[in-house]
Amino acid sequence: MTESIVAFILFALVVPLAVLPWVHRQYRRFGRLRGWSALVAAAGVLYGCGLVAFTLFPLPVVGPDFCTGRRFSDSWQLQLFASLDDILRDGSPALWQVLLNVVLFLPMGFLLRYRFGRGLFTSVAVGVLVSTSVEFVQGSAVLGLYPCPYRLADVDDILTNTTGTAVGWLLAIPLARLLPPANAEHDPDLAPPGLPRRGLAFAGDLLVFELTQFAILVVLALSGDTTRALTESPRFTTLLSAVTLTFYTLVVPLLRADRATPGQVVFHLALQRVNGGPAPWYAVVVRFVVWWVPVLVLSFGWVLLLAAALVLAAWLRRDRRSLLGLLSHTRTTTRAAARTTPHPTPDHSH
């Protein structure tokens, strides 16, 4: 596996897939994504992504001589307190390395107590588990993705990282008295969703679509020469794009009672009739033909221009309904509001 594929897995897959569940959980728990609580939660997600990057980067270039002089046994340092000998021998550089390992896990201990309310024992156990996982990934050549390890797995790092977790937990005690509450009060989330939220849901759909398509291509490229040839065929990639986009924006909404696409699910949105009740199946088809088919056919630049034009047209309307909503006779609402909106009562007077 080349380093470019590893980089994709880390940043183009792991990071977005960590952010989308976080957004969904924020709306599910608190009914909103704003304020100090959202900032704290986002800091936790970014810290986790940074920890992954720190574990694996910089990515080495694998050449013919990459494993020359590298042995698995040399990549594991299992002698306790060997870092003390390093400090006595090397002085400040080794000391700073130890302190860095402590500081790296301070946010973990802090967040475990401040945001999640975990006790010291649980927090320390989480620190041990995460630190051990980090060292195992480094010592196992990124779980075998590389032919040989390029980072040292050090048992002393587990001790210093765990110490950092405990210190971070202790620091959270006085700091929690000075900071606002980490978790927001629940918002009913009954107000009509604004254009930014609806736009982010669209961006989420594009993200899920692109990641799925890319992940399939990566799997095919790694499966053998026959499947690798498919990834180089423009016809196959076009067909894959069409199938993937159709599945997420037509099949998934038709199967869901709230008619939501994956991006709308993440942001807790639903599609309804104008007078209440779930949108009919043909409304989903209309939205797919009017919006998602052009997204598939047009270039990315034109898609952005078209999206900007639709946003501007919706912004000029007092009710903020989009062209898609007008053509399909639907409105985008929150899931909480959809659950509280009664179904329309049929009129039998005629």
Side-chain angles (χ1 to χ4, degrees):
M1 178 177 288
T2 65
E3 54 272 12
S4 61
I5 295 178
V6 175
F8 160 74
I9 294 174
L10 287 175
F11 287 101
L13 186 60
V14 174
V15 174
L17 289 183
V19 171
L20 291 181
W22 165 74
V23 171
H24 179 75
R25 188 170 183 270
Q26 283 290 116
Y27 276 109
R28 181 169 58 84
R29 287 191 64 192
F30 308 115
R32 61 179 180 176
L33 183 63
R34 60 183 182 272
W36 176 254
S37 62
L39 183 62
V40 173
V45 173
L46 293 177
Y47 170 72
C49 296
L51 192 62
V52 172
F54 180 83
T55 301
L56 301 178
F57 277 73
L59 293 174
V61 177
V62 179
D65 301 327
F66 178 72
C67 291
T68 302
R70 299 174 186 260
R71 296 181 303 176
F72 270 87
S73 58
D74 296 334
S75 64
W76 291 84
Q77 198 295 107
L78 301 178
Q79 180 184 349
L80 282 172
F81 305 115
S83 56
L84 296 178
D85 295 333
D86 295 337
I87 293 174
L88 293 175
R89 184 181 64 251
D90 300 329
S92 296
L95 176 61
W96 280 112
Q97 180 63 42
V98 171
L99 294 176
L100 178 62
N101 287 331
V102 174
V103 171
L104 180 64
F105 273 64
L106 283 175
M108 179 175 294
F110 176 82
L111 290 170
L112 284 171
R113 189 189 192 284
Y114 173 59
R115 185 169 192 274
F116 299 102
R118 303 303 179 188
L120 179 59
F121 178 81
T122 302
S123 300
V124 168
V126 171
V128 171
L129 179 62
V130 173
S131 180
T132 302
S133 301
V134 167
E135 299 305 315
F136 179 77
V137 168
Q138 292 178 339
S140 63
V142 194
L143 305 179
L145 294 179
Y146 278 84
C148 54
Y150 61 91
R151 297 283 295 271
L152 177 68
D154 193 337
V155 68
D156 277 1
D157 288 353
I158 299 177
L159 294 177
T160 53
N161 292 340
T162 304
T163 300
T165 303
V167 173
W169 188 92
L170 293 172
L171 288 175
I173 297 176
L175 291 176
R177 300 190 185 102
L178 304 175
L179 297 173
N183 293 319
E185 294 183 1
H186 184 76
D187 188 302
D189 197 27
L190 299 177
L195 292 177
R197 184 171 173 180
R198 288 152 57 187
L200 287 173
F202 164 65
D205 284 325
L206 290 183
L207 182 60
V208 172
F209 160 65
E210 292 291 347
L211 290 179
T212 302
Q213 181 179 240
F214 206 114
I216 292 173
L217 291 176
V218 168
V219 171
L220 292 177
L222 298 176
S223 297
D225 294 337
T226 303
T227 54
R228 187 181 301 113
L230 287 175
T231 64
E232 300 172 357
S233 168
R235 261 186 207 180
F236 175 80
T237 54
T238 300
L239 177 63
L240 177 62
S241 297
V243 171
T244 305
L245 189 69
T246 301
F247 174 77
Y248 281 132
T249 61
L250 180 62
V251 177
V252 170
L254 287 175
L255 293 176
R256 293 183 58 89
D258 58 8
R259 304 304 190 197
T261 61
Q264 291 173 325
V265 172
V266 169
F267 284 87
H268 273 234
L269 300 177
L271 197 64
Q272 284 195 307
R273 299 174 186 264
V274 177
N275 59 342
W281 65 268
Y282 52 83
V284 176
V285 176
V286 169
R287 294 172 70 93
F288 173 78
V289 172
V290 173
W291 174 239
W292 290 109
V293 170
V295 167
L296 180 64
V297 175
L298 298 175
S299 64
F300 185 71
W302 282 107
V303 169
L304 290 181
L305 288 176
L306 182 58
L310 291 176
V311 169
L312 178 60
W315 181 76
L316 292 174
R317 290 181 57 89
R318 180 174 298 178
D319 58 5
R320 298 294 191 261
R321 288 181 65 198
S322 67
L323 178 62
L324 296 178
L326 295 173
L327 293 176
S328 60
H329 301 286
T330 60
R331 62 189 178 97
T332 303
T333 184
T334 66
R335 290 182 63 186
R339 287 194 293 264
T340 60
T341 302
H343 287 246
T345 303
D347 186 0
H348 301 293
S349 58
H350 300 287

